[in-house]
Amino acid sequence: MSQPPTGSDRRAVGRLTSVNVGLPRDVAWEGRTVYTGVWKQPVAGPQMVRRTNIDGDGQGDLNGHGGEQRAVLVYQRDSYDHWQHELGRDDFVLGQFGENFTVEGMPDDEVCVGDRYRIGEAELEVTQPRVTCYRVGLRMGEPRLPSLLVAHHRPGFYLRVIQEGHVEAGNEIVKTRSGPEALSVAAIDALLYLPGHDLEMLRSALRIPALSPGWQASFREMVEAAERGAEIAGGVGVAEQPAWPGFRRMRVTKVVPESPTVSSIYLADEGGAELPAAKAGQYLTVRAVGADVPAAVRSYSLSSSPEPQVYRLSVKREPHGVVSGLLHATLHAGSVLDVAAPRGEFTLAQESGRVVLISAGIGVTPVLAMLHELVRAGAAAEVWWIYVTHDATTHVFAREADELLASLPHWHEQVFYTGVDAGAPRPAGVVAGRPTPERLRALGIPADASAYICGPPPFMDEIGGALSELGLTPEKIHTELFSALPAITPGVTDQRNVPPHQPAGTPGPGPLVTFARSGLAVHWDDARRSLLELADACDVPTRWSCRTGVCQTCRTHALSGTVAYAPEPLEPPAEGDVLLCCSQPRGDVVLDL
């Protein structure tokens, strides 16, 4: 436990030069609108510092800024001088870096997370370095700045308010307590964002109570990854690498109709080699060889436990599905497909308690694979099998599911037909309507069960909410999503809810970039700075924050192809991944987007 400085240790360490505030506003940026509070202006006289803010101040994106753990942002005059020299500029004004407190002293390599300071009437505690966010680059007119702040070990830091009170420019800054572990702001920042993630230092950081929950979660993930022998790249534990790089030619051994619209495709290695084991719930990405459609790339779940010689996919023919239509129309025993290795984190954990498998429509495939796995492993878990479909003609794998369930010691089954009237005849064990919270409660699903849900996004949201009402915690509710992942675009307020499309203007002359989840293939244009810019132009949902190769929020699996980086990221991603925000294709590339 930290101890308060005594005697000569309780000393002045700096001075508050300026107090800066500003309310969020809309700002034009690259054809979009960003709601941001990064524009701060100095204010004179005493200012009230409260638990989550300074009076007159605000943040536009509370997911990354503001709140109790990030109430006050601090930046140093010494760093102003550094950047004026480094960037060759003389136009800085106080508050330029989006900080609330501009200070003399308190350098990032001396201030430690957990240190406490008295400024005026307020008592404050250091909680974390500044978040690497593109908006500081937007404010400065320097897009590279988020990366530079980390690379030069000058991020600045956030304070939590221990005691509210008035402060004003000219106040002396007095250190009142030293944080445990003596890890500086610069060291903590580098530990997350720069190569060389020292395991003992990570453990040391986790012993600092003042470190904000978000940073603790990141460091905990890194420690857990290191302890299980996994690689750490970009400040996160790297998932297990795919069984083979790129696409592998596989031969169709048979095609089995399961319903008027669903067929199962059995795949073997073209050369007869044994196939690597996949996890129940994972998917394969396939590309139809010889197809005239350049975007003939889609992902489909494995629908059974993979055997050493065969994988099984079950594909629904969608009314306007280019690839599903192609597969249903042309595949036969002996056909060849290009197939990427099994991927996906929607996988069955080692379950010994209660398991709920819930699906709708063709979303049955990954949970059916999980049911196969439970039977194969001789699981003693109590299992609930809940399936929702329109009617008997769309009820796929009914007999297969029943036979698997009968092999388990403890199981419950409930099927819902949404397209029949309550009084209409239907098979035993089938009810009309939808699985409401009341109906799920009547099935006896306990609060400590682990649930796996797959189906259309509204269905998964609905069922996830219903299970939450039954007491299941978020970490016990797992969902699968085959379409593009939900976007992370902090601060952007004018998101366009349109399907991915070709970019405006004349197609570029460069390599083909395929966004596999979005079903879109686009030729690269060297006028664009990054794959992220290309995705933005196509309205492909993406996830990003810094846009300069620091935070790795934009990290994406590359199913095939390689990229170059400009600028180089501060830490390269794991093999097989790319950082969209600073990469350009070296040739044709297929991205899991």
Side-chain angles (χ1 to χ4, degrees), residues 221-560:
E221 179 184 344
M222 294 162 69
V223 168
E224 291 171 355
E227 289 177 343
R228 66 174 183 266
E231 180 186 358
I232 299 174
V236 293
V238 175
E240 185 176 333
Q241 291 297 298
W244 65 82
F247 286 89
R248 172 179 183 171
R249 287 174 68 83
M250 300 188 75
R251 178 174 47 86
V252 177
T253 62
K254 60 181 177 178
V255 178
V256 178
E258 306 286 0
S259 78
T261 59
V262 176
S263 290
S264 288
I265 301 164
Y266 291 77
L267 297 169
D269 181 77
E270 189 178 34
E274 186 170 301
L275 296 174
K279 295 179 180 179
Q282 288 191 309
Y283 60 85
L284 300 179
T285 300
V286 301
R287 180 172 61 194
V289 175
D292 294 331
V293 183
V297 177
R298 294 292 188 277
S299 296
Y300 300 105
S301 284
L302 292 160
S303 56
S304 67
S305 295
E307 301 171 10
Q309 301 300 330
V310 67
Y311 290 149
R312 184 180 80 171
L313 301 176
S314 300
V315 179
K316 179 184 179 184
R317 185 179 68 246
E318 301 292 350
H320 303 289
V322 173
V323 178
S324 66
L326 181 69
L327 296 179
H328 275 261
T330 64
L331 281 193
H332 54 80
S335 297
V336 175
L337 292 173
D338 281 348
V339 182
R343 283 176 165 81
E345 298 177 2
F346 179 67
T347 55
L348 184 68
Q350 294 294 327
E351 300 289 359
S352 58
R354 287 113 164 194
V355 181
V356 183
L357 304 176
I358 307 182
S359 60
I362 196 59
V364 69
T365 53
V367 295
L368 182 63
M370 293 177 183
L371 185 59
H372 271 278
E373 180 60 23
L374 289 168
V375 171
R376 187 198 65 79
E382 187 174 6
V383 175
W384 281 258
W385 176 261
I386 301 169
Y387 181 56
V388 183
T389 189
H390 188 266
D391 54 39
T393 64
T394 61
H395 187 175
V396 291
F397 303 113
R399 178 178 297 177
E400 183 173 329
D402 286 344
E403 291 174 352
L404 290 168
L405 288 168
S407 301
L408 294 171
H410 309 289
W411 57 274
H412 314 265
E413 181 182 19
Q414 184 65 74
V415 176
F416 293 87
Y417 284 176
T418 60
V420 300
D421 295 330
R426 52 190 181 275
V430 175
V431 298
R434 304 186 64 81
T436 63
E438 293 73 25
R439 284 177 158 178
L440 293 178
R441 183 176 290 108
L443 294 175
I445 296 174
D448 63 352
S450 295
Y452 299 85
I453 312 169
C454 188
F459 169 81
M460 292 191 291
D461 290 343
E462 176 186 344
I463 296 298
L467 292 175
S468 295
E469 289 187 30
L470 298 186
L472 276 72
T473 57
E475 60 270 16
K476 289 283 191 176
I477 301 174
H478 312 276
T479 57
E480 173 64 305
L481 185 64
F482 280 111
S483 59
L485 296 172
I488 297 177
T489 55
V492 176
T493 59
D494 55 348
Q495 294 281 39
R496 296 179 286 268
N497 188 20
V498 297
H501 55 83
Q502 292 288 329
T506 304
L512 193 67
V513 178
T514 299
F515 300 106
R517 288 178 183 256
S518 300
L520 182 68
V522 179
H523 282 283
W524 173 254
D525 187 337
D526 284 333
R528 302 192 188 279
R529 291 175 295 184
S530 67
L531 285 166
L532 179 57
E533 283 197 0
L534 178 62
D536 288 345
C538 299
D539 284 308
V540 170
T542 53
R543 299 175 162 215
W544 49 266
S545 180
C546 74
R547 299 184 73 98
T548 57
V550 183
C551 69
Q552 305 234 349
T553 303
C554 69
R555 188 180 61 174
T556 299
H557 294 308
L559 277 66
S560 68

Side-chain angles (χ1 to χ4, degrees), residues 90-172:
D90 59 3
D91 59 341
F92 293 166
V93 294
L94 297 178
Q96 183 94 31
F97 289 82
E99 78 276 12
N100 300 114
F101 288 172
T102 314
V103 300
E104 296 281 359
M106 303 184 75
D108 290 334
D109 59 359
E110 292 183 12
V111 169
C112 295
V113 174
D115 285 354
R116 289 189 180 184
Y117 298 93
R118 168 70 61 175
I119 307 177
E121 299 172 350
E123 182 92 6
L124 306 111
E125 181 178 60
V126 181
T127 58
Q128 66 172 73
R130 175 202 299 265
V131 175
T132 54
C133 170
Y134 75 104
R135 280 162 290 200
V136 67
L138 168 62
R139 170 69 178 91
M140 296 286 293
E142 176 49 78
R144 300 174 300 155
L145 196 61
S147 175
L148 294 173
L149 290 173
V150 175
H152 288 237
H153 306 286
R154 294 176 178 270
F157 54 88
Y158 284 104
L159 298 171
R160 179 168 70 99
V161 179
I162 304 298
Q163 179 179 312
E164 296 181 344
H166 289 92
V167 303
E168 64 178 309
N171 282 155
E172 191 175 60

